[in-house]
Amino acid sequence: AQSVSQHNHHVILSEAASLELGCNYSYGGTVNLFWYVQYPGQHLQLLLKYFSGDPLVKGIKGFEAEFIKSKFSFNLRKPSVQWSDTAEYFCAVNSGGGADGLTFGKGTHLIIQP
Amino acid sequence: DTGVSQNPRHKITKRGQNVTFRCDPISEHNRLYWYRQTLGQGPEFLTYFQNEAQLEKSRLLSDRFSAERPKGSFSTLEIQRTEQGDSAMYLCASRDSLNTEAFFGQGTRLTVV
């Protein structure tokens, strides 16, 4: 069975600080990887996704993530955060050719202080 | 709004009652998913439809839970004989076959008292 581990449940940063949120997954086969964001009071939205090809993927709002297959990791990064990045961030995975549902991590609550 | 729509947004029910939630996916999306999210956790997959066929069910989906998508458009999720442990946010998502991005609704928050 697949599982996703997000290392930090709560992160507090100041504006302009750099961000890196950790995500590790356990699944031996081909995977599709996702980062979703949930702003306060809103629905889950896709930030970025990785299926194949360049392991460094760029998403919306200046976010990027790097797939490191040897480490089973897909960490999310942003060089300079803004107050509006305050949200809950979820890493998710599904197997490339098998079950269709997403397996999510527990989420990281990010608070950006102005 | 052409996104995924869920109704009701909030539902409070007494233990033992039955509840039904509705999800209207994005119109051209043939795949529809139900997830459950409890406080401090990420969404957990419950079940998935391709058109009207229910193709996958999680072991989280006990016998008290049933989902339908009768015409391959909207879907309903029914919980019979609700228990306090059913209190959660129930999320619906949809996507088409070609695009792996799933779009989520705002969810139905169920509180069982």
Side-chain angles (χ1 to χ4, degrees):
Chain A
Q2 301 165 69
S3 67
V4 177
S5 175
Q6 292 184 238
H7 314 303
N8 312 100
H9 295 301
H10 299 276
V11 174
I12 301 174
L13 294 173
S14 298
E15 275 194 314
S18 64
L19 170 71
E20 180 161 3
L21 301 182
C23 173
N24 286 90
Y25 66 93
S26 65
Y27 183 71
T30 303
V31 290
N32 298 323
L33 295 156
F34 306 80
W35 275 97
Y36 277 85
V37 62
Q38 189 168 27
Y39 298 104
Q42 296 190 27
H43 58 275
L44 281 162
Q45 301 172 44
L46 183 69
L47 267 181
L48 47 78
K49 58 189 178 185
Y50 171 81
F51 300 142
S52 62
D54 189 345
L56 184 63
V57 292
K58 294 191 183 298
I60 60 171
K61 305 187 180 188
F63 286 91
E64 65 179 30
E66 185 175 12
F67 170 52
I68 303 179
K69 189 174 181 179
S70 61
K71 295 184 178 181
F72 296 88
S73 71
F74 190 56
N75 292 353
L76 181 71
R77 300 193 294 245
K78 185 171 183 178
S80 178
V81 294
Q82 301 172 308
W83 176 78
S84 58
D85 292 325
T86 294
E88 191 89 21
Y89 292 80
F90 294 96
C91 181
V93 61
N94 73 356
S95 59
D100 210 52
L102 291 170
T103 299
F104 283 85
K106 290 186 177 183
T108 297
H109 187 201
L110 176 66
I111 296 173
I112 306 301
Q113 296 177 328
Chain B
D1 188 347
T2 56
V4 177
S5 177
Q6 292 189 244
N7 288 287
R9 293 288 307 279
H10 303 273
K11 178 71 177 179
I12 300 174
T13 191
K14 291 183 179 179
R15 191 174 48 188
Q17 297 293 306
N18 299 344
V19 294
T20 300
F21 311 139
R22 177 179 169 125
C23 171
D24 287 272
I26 294 172
S27 60
E28 61 270 24
H29 287 182
N30 61 348
R31 299 192 183 198
L32 186 148
Y33 306 80
W34 285 99
Y35 291 83
R36 181 176 70 186
Q37 186 177 17
T38 52
L39 201 61
Q41 303 293 320
E44 297 172 294
F45 171 74
L46 293 178
T47 189
Y48 135 66
F49 291 84
Q50 182 164 316
N51 299 310
E52 65 276 9
Q54 189 173 17
L55 297 187
E56 194 179 338
K57 288 197 287 187
S58 161
R59 54 187 167 81
L60 291 176
L61 211 67
S62 76
D63 291 345
R64 297 183 297 105
F65 287 69
S66 62
E68 294 182 342
R69 194 183 183 196
K71 298 182 181 177
S73 56
F74 73 91
S75 175
T76 57
L77 177 68
E78 182 183 17
I79 309 174
Q80 296 182 324
R81 305 180 303 282
T82 51
E83 302 172 356
Q84 284 190 316
D86 298 330
S87 295
M89 178 75 86
Y90 290 85
L91 299 169
C92 178
S94 72
R95 69 173 181 94
D96 62 38
S97 296
L98 298 176
N99 189 345
T100 49
E101 176 181 353
F103 292 82
F104 283 80
Q106 291 195 284
T108 294
R109 181 171 295 284
L110 172 67
T111 303
V112 181
V113 296

